[in-house]
Amino acid sequence: CCYTVSQQLDIYGEVDISGKPNDFCTLSAHDDTRIFKVSSTGILRVSNLRLNHGRGDKGGAIFVHGQFFGDNVMFADNVASIIGGATYVSDSGAFECANCNFFNNVANTIINGNSKVGASVFGQRYSKVSCSSCNIDNSTKSHQQVMAVSREQQFVFAFDWKDLNDL
């Protein structure tokens, strides 16, 4: 199944979205808009979905002010004109992902000499980011930092990645 998002979906309360396991329903923005913006009061739980072709200034697929929990989510072909190709996590946000895949996400800004900052995930200071049993393949964008944090970062940042290029 495939659904098209024509405008950003704003999350203010608790929202659960779940596809069928191993079926990967797709939410696509067709490179027109960001897919989700989670407000400071929002909690978004997503499982068994593909989020692709999102486009935004910060966070191509998701901009997180509140809380995001993902399980078995594929982030593919998302673009941020500034930072956080797939996901941008604000200083008040929390992003937790397990069994997720990040493929060909792009961030287009160079900050402090660091090329293309946070192609997959960018966490702003004081944010909380956790990724476990996740896979990442930015082989076509190998010059980009796939994970990044802001200067003077004071947040919990834990991840367990498998780079598919090393398998």
Side-chain angles (χ1 to χ4, degrees):
C1 61
C2 183
Y3 299 97
T4 299
V5 176
S6 60
Q7 62 183 9
Q8 172 180 284
L9 301 173
D10 294 321
I11 307 298
Y12 294 101
E14 288 193 41
V15 176
D16 294 305
I17 302 172
S18 183
K20 294 179 184 175
N22 303 316
D23 191 19
F24 275 110
C25 279
T26 299
L27 288 178
S28 177
H30 293 289
D31 297 319
D32 291 328
T33 186
R34 179 184 299 117
I35 299 171
F36 292 110
K37 185 172 186 180
V38 183
S39 74
S40 60
T41 60
I43 300 172
L44 177 60
R45 293 179 196 88
V46 175
S47 62
N48 305 312
L49 287 178
R50 177 184 314 217
L51 303 176
N52 70 3
H53 292 282
R55 184 175 296 270
D57 55 351
K58 297 177 181 178
I62 303 174
F63 187 118
V64 181
H65 281 301
Q67 299 175 53
F68 174 86
F69 301 96
D71 183 33
N72 199 29
V73 177
M74 182 178 295
F75 297 86
D77 303 308
N78 298 290
V79 176
S81 60
I82 301 176
I83 50 181
T87 302
Y88 173 85
V89 186
S90 76
D91 58 3
S92 64
F95 177 84
E96 185 176 316
C97 215
N99 308 305
C100 294
N101 297 292
F102 294 82
F103 296 111
N104 299 318
N105 299 292
V106 178
N108 286 318
T109 297
I110 296 174
I111 298 176
N112 295 328
N114 293 317
S115 178
K116 315 294 185 178
V117 178
S120 291
V121 178
F122 183 91
Q124 197 56 267
R125 64 182 174 166
Y126 307 117
S127 62
K128 295 179 177 87
V129 175
S130 174
C131 297
S132 61
S133 300
C134 294
N135 298 309
I136 189 161
D137 175 16
N138 275 44
S139 57
T140 60
K141 319 286 191 286
S142 61
H143 60 283
Q144 297 189 359
Q145 285 186 308
V146 293
M147 301 286 290
V149 297
S150 67
R151 291 177 60 184
E152 302 171 7
Q153 187 66 1
Q154 298 179 18
F155 75 138
V156 176
F157 190 75
F159 60 93
D160 171 20
W161 292 101
K162 281 189 249 177
D163 185 333
L164 297 180
N165 297 319
D166 294 336
L167 297 178

